[in-house]
Amino acid sequence: MSSSSNHDHPLIPLSHLGDLSVTEFLSDYWQKKPVCIRNGVAFQEALIAVDELAGLALEPEVESRLIENKGDVKDWQVIHGPLVEADFNKERDFPWTLLVQGVDCFVPQVHDFLSKFRFVPSWRLDDIMISYATQGAGVGAHFDRYDVFLIQGEGQRQWQIGQACSVNSALMAHNQLCLLQNFDVHQEFILNPGGLLYIPPLIAHKGVAMSDACVTYSVGFRSPSYGDVLASFADERSTDISADLRLKDQGFASKSGEISAMDIAALMQFMQAQITPENVAQWFGKHSTEAKYPALNMSEEAMDQAELEAIIKDGYGVLRVSEGVRLAYTWQGDGGLTLFVQGEALPCPPDVTVFIEAIANQWVLEVEDIVPLLAHDAAKAMLLILHNQGYLYFADE
Ligand code: SIN
Ligand code: CO
């Protein structure tokens, strides 16, 4: 279905990380052990200019931090964004790092780069954080609870990899940074531009910039804790259950101070009845596509059916998933599917499924290829809804 021009599109997921095939990477390293891949990713150019990154850190809707390595680790300063011009103009005689979270939500090239990691399901992708550091700077020895690819964009960085950590790992007394008290160095690498380091959850790591203008891209993944899973599922179910339905007496135990086994059994039966494939899929689809920044205004200029027909007739350009939009689908029993987008569930009848599958799996469609996907009016109507909500947009490339 894709035309040949779509074949080399930047949104196509990677098949290799350097010389390692993604299949080998997933079976040997993913969620198992760290791996350093020199020339892991080929860049034609920087994903973002340094002044654009600094500009993002000034914006109130962008999450950013500046960490100054002044003096002892416990005295390191953290300035939380939005930053102000003066934070950048200040002369510093000690190393510092600027970290900007969720850059893929704001910069199309960074969103495209994130899409290359869709060799894991796209609902698992969290965001791309970009750091800019001066020589000698770092955020200290720490661990993250999610998988991460650390990719060197510019300059050089030394990475040290340490022990597996847990909730019991001792942390330093710092009120803003979660830094490890003990760091046992097991491996050490120096990454040049294009070099990639994969680190599984809970593995200690520490990076230090070996040059000025050291830019590192961190591709982070979503990994909800089981605690969050239970809390969020219960929350979703609770909104669907009528407040009129209450616990019923199951007969009484002989002692008034006792909670009877019959009461416990009845509670379990009620709770277990909530765990159906439909309920779990409906909740998880919404939960896993929740926006990282729900306050971001996504709205596109509304388009009507005639304007859509004109774009299709022109056959020029592409239809893209908007930056920061998360979407995923599950199949329904009737041959239709439910599209989950930004935490909302949209039931789609069978006539709409080819279009939804194509956009959710490819993230970009050549306009000249979408005609057969929109054979039914219901599919065009769905495209208009998604476009007018700001979830999809038309672009030149
Ligand atoms: C950095 O880019 O400096 C820190 C990234 C990380 O360790 O997770
Ligand atoms: Co980290």
Side-chain angles (χ1 to χ4, degrees), residues 142-144 146 148 150 205:
H142 66 280
F143 65 98
D144 301 304
Y146 47 83
V148 64
L150 297 158
H205 53 281

Side-chain angles (χ1 to χ4, degrees), residues 72-74 141 170-175 177-182:
D72 196 63
V73 176
K74 68 176 182 347
L171 299 179
M172 287 194 184
H174 194 296
N175 59 2
L177 295 171
C178 289
L179 300 177
L180 286 163
Q181 250 177 43
N182 307 309

Side-chain angles (χ1 to χ4, degrees), residues 117-315:
F117 294 84
R118 287 178 301 135
F119 49 78
V120 298
S122 58
W123 68 260
R124 285 276 271 121
L125 302 180
D126 189 19
D127 77 332
I128 295 190
M129 178 185 79
I130 302 187
S131 68
Y132 171 91
T134 62
Q135 186 164 9
V139 305
H142 66 280
F143 65 98
D144 301 304
R145 289 199 163 82
Y146 47 83
D147 310 85
V148 64
F149 288 107
L150 297 158
I151 299 145
Q152 197 58 22
E154 290 162 59
Q156 263 194 337
R157 183 182 283 276
Q158 179 203 57
W159 285 105
Q160 292 177 318
I161 298 185
Q163 72 277 19
C165 301
S166 72
V167 280
N168 300 320
S169 300
L171 299 179
M172 287 194 184
H174 194 296
N175 59 2
Q176 307 206 57
L177 295 171
C178 289
L179 300 177
L180 286 163
Q181 250 177 43
N182 307 309
F183 181 55
D184 314 324
V185 181
H186 296 183
Q187 285 170 292
E188 196 169 285
F189 306 99
I190 292 188
L191 288 194
N192 291 311
L196 172 154
L197 183 61
Y198 163 72
I199 304 183
L202 301 175
I203 301 293
H205 53 281
K206 177 181 175 187
V208 175
M210 303 294 282
S211 68
D212 274 330
C214 169
V215 177
T216 304
Y217 310 128
S218 302
V219 179
F221 291 81
R222 288 192 154 184
S223 56
S225 70
Y226 282 132
D228 288 344
V229 163
L230 280 182
S232 161
F233 178 68
D235 204 37
E236 159 85 12
R237 290 306 306 137
S238 69
T239 59
D240 267 7
I241 295 174
S242 162
D244 296 341
L245 299 174
R246 312 304 273 199
L247 285 183
K248 290 199 169 51
D249 288 330
Q250 303 295 320
F252 298 117
S254 55
K255 305 242 171 47
S256 69
E258 184 185 339
I259 295 168
S260 75
M262 289 177 299
D263 281 328
I264 301 296
L267 282 165
M268 285 176 55
Q269 197 182 22
F270 161 72
M271 288 192 227
Q272 281 161 354
Q274 302 309 309
I275 305 173
T276 63
E278 294 75 24
N279 286 350
V280 174
Q282 186 75 6
W283 154 72
F284 192 64
K286 289 184 187 175
H287 179 72
S288 63
T289 59
E290 268 166 16
K292 189 167 177 73
Y293 300 116
L296 276 192
N297 179 11
M298 308 292 314
S299 61
E300 273 282 304
E301 210 172 306
M303 173 183 278
D304 62 22
Q305 175 95 19
E307 286 166 290
L308 175 62
E309 298 288 358
I311 291 177
I312 297 172
K313 192 156 167 271
D314 258 8

Side-chain angles (χ1 to χ4, degrees), residues 377-391:
D377 285 348
K380 285 185 188 145
M382 183 57 81
L383 193 168
L384 279 176
I385 290 171
L386 296 173
H387 174 275
N388 292 350
Q389 293 277 336
Y391 300 152

